[in-house]
């Protein structure tokens, strides 16, 4: 666990936010050693934070015991250099259990994913996240997506809740996000963090920056950290030429490839890690591996992205 508060560590990130894949061995069991190596390489490549066992890390596929093992491994690999945020989800009781496991493993914070399956009203969602925030000393970032979409008024209440420090948006309604940011600001809540949490967030980050949202998740950092870091730097410094070159030549084609298969937001990323030389195993069911021709296209796209970096040197 790092000593500085999570919100302060994330406010001005020095690099992309890293969402590592979870490594499995040949028997499909969690492979902590390979996972540590994956996380360590990401930190050394310039990640500003590690978000362990979240969406890209197949939180849905992990037992509580495996989850605890992976979060502890991520904390060990990070060595306090960057904060480690762990996923937490399902119903309230299980989310609290995962939160306490993360705290015991040394995590610095929680990414609270949507409750399992049910489509709840605003009052129930607010109660759920407040109970989760009260269950540990860890600061909580609430993940808005799927069946957990909030009105601006609800986000104001979340922002006023002790222990809740931010909102990660995976819904993608920019009008709603603008009204949310405005409502929280008008309520006088300061230092509340916002994240662009859409899949392959680099593609939409120029639009989110217009709302003042500078933090975003980077799944591709798992397998092309050099491209993700170059894009992050270009966005931060206002280098539009580089942003456009990477979006047009790498990120948009990657999204088009990602959209060719269900679950590719995870399995294609994991395949990319393997293509770059680290055997992290395959995804667990119900996800499936990318088709052979899609893997070939991914390999070509990685080469294209690296060529784009060289063009900009």
């Amino acid at each position: 666990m790092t000593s500085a508060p999570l919100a302060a560590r994330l406010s001005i990130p020095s690099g992309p936010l890293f969402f590592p894949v979870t490594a499995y061995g040949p028997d499909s069991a969690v492979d902590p050693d390979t996972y540590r190596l994956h996380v360590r390489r990401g930190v050394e490549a310039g990640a500003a934070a590690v978000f362990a066992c979240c969406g890209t890390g197949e939180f849905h596929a992990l037992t509580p015991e495996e989850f605890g093992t992976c979060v502890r491994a991520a904390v060990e690999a990070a060595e306090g250099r960057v904060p480690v945020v762990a996923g937490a989800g399902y119903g309230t009781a299980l989310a609290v259990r995962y939160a306490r496991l993360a705290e015991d493993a040394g995590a610095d914070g929680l990414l609270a994913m949507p409750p399992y399956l049910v489509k709840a009203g605003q009052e129930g969602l607010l109660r759920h996240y407040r109970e989760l925030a009260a269950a540990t000393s860890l600061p909580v970032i609430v993940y808005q997506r799927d069946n957990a979409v909030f009105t601006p008024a609800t986000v104001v209440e979340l922002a006023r809740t002790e222990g809740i420090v931010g909102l990660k948006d995976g819904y993608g309604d920019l009008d709603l996000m603008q009204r949310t940011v405005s409502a929280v600001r008008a309520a006088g809540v300061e230092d509340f963090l916002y994240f662009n949490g859409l899949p392959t967030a680099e593609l939409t980050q120029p639009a989110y920056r217009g709302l003042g949202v500078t933090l975003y998740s980077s799944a591709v950092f798992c397998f092309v950290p050099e491209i993700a870091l170059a894009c992050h730097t270009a966005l931060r410094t206002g280098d539009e030429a580089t942003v456009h070159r990477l979006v047009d030549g790498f990120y948009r084609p990657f999204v088009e490839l990602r959209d060719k298969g269900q679950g590719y937001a995870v399995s294609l990323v994991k395949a990319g890690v393997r293509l770059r030389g680290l055997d992290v195993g395959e995804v667990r069911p119900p996800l499936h591996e990318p088709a052979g021709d899609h893997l070939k296209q991914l390999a070509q796209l990685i080469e294209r992205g690296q060529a784009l970096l060289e063009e900009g040197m």
Side-chain angles (χ1 to χ4, degrees):
M1 180 177 290
T2 52
S3 57
L6 177 66
R9 295 291 299 274
L10 293 178
S11 294
I12 309 176
S14 57
L17 304 180
F18 175 31
F19 287 68
V21 299
T22 297
Y24 305 129
D27 59 354
S28 296
V30 166
D31 181 350
D33 291 337
T34 301
Y35 185 68
R36 278 190 206 91
L37 178 58
H38 179 44
V39 172
R40 187 177 302 115
R41 286 180 177 179
V43 173
E44 292 172 352
V50 175
F51 282 70
C53 304
C54 296
T56 309
E58 295 179 82
F59 171 80
H60 67 277
L62 300 175
T63 67
E65 293 76 19
E66 290 172 328
F67 170 86
T69 295
C70 288
V71 175
R72 186 169 289 104
V75 171
E76 291 168 355
E79 297 179 325
R81 291 172 288 179
V82 299
V84 175
V85 179
Y90 301 120
T92 306
L94 270 178
V96 165
R97 182 181 178 190
Y98 279 97
R100 289 173 176 163
L101 286 169
E103 186 173 40
D104 290 344
D108 297 281
L110 300 169
L111 178 63
M113 290 177 283
Y116 173 71
L117 193 61
V118 295
K119 188 172 179 63
Q122 297 295 296
E123 181 180 354
L125 289 170
L126 183 59
R127 180 182 174 187
H128 170 78
Y129 291 107
R130 280 179 165 169
E131 290 190 16
L132 177 59
T136 74
S137 64
L138 298 180
V140 176
I141 300 163
V142 175
Y143 195 178
Q144 170 170 265
R145 58 174 293 173
D146 300 325
N147 59 325
V149 178
F150 311 104
T151 65
T154 298
V155 178
V156 169
E157 294 306 310
L158 288 170
R160 286 172 170 162
T161 300
E162 184 176 357
I164 297 180
V165 300
L167 177 74
K168 181 184 178 188
D169 179 50
Y171 187 56
D173 184 334
L174 292 181
D175 175 82
L176 176 61
M177 274 300 293
Q178 178 64 82
R179 290 186 287 114
T180 296
V181 171
S182 174
V184 173
R185 183 172 58 236
V189 180
E190 299 180 356
D191 302 324
F192 193 66
L193 302 177
Y194 300 96
F195 303 75
N196 173 5
L198 289 173
T200 318
E202 287 93 342
L203 185 69
T204 54
Q205 187 53 25
Y208 272 81
R209 285 188 70 87
L211 303 181
V213 178
T214 58
L215 297 165
Y216 63 90
S217 55
S218 179
V220 303
F221 185 85
C222 289
F223 64 96
V224 282
E226 63 276 27
I227 296 174
L229 187 60
C231 187
H232 183 274
T233 300
L235 284 163
R236 179 172 52 82
T237 60
D239 181 358
E240 292 189 1
T242 297
V243 172
H244 293 167
R245 185 171 69 254
L246 294 176
V247 166
D248 296 347
F250 176 79
Y251 285 104
R252 179 179 54 79
F254 177 77
V255 168
E256 291 170 351
L257 178 59
R258 185 201 72 202
D259 288 348
K260 291 182 179 180
Q262 292 289 338
Y264 272 19
V266 177
S267 61
L268 201 65
V269 169
K270 203 163 193 179
V273 177
R274 295 196 303 270
L275 285 172
R276 296 302 301 275
L278 185 62
D279 187 0
V280 290
E282 298 184 350
V283 291
R284 284 178 171 176
L287 296 180
H288 65 87
E289 287 298 300
D293 59 330
H294 293 163
L295 292 177
K296 292 179 181 178
Q297 292 176 50
L298 178 60
Q300 293 169 352
L301 190 54
I302 291 172
E303 292 182 3
R304 172 59 177 156
Q306 292 170 329
L308 290 170
L309 291 183
E310 294 178 2
E311 290 176 11
M313 292 181 179

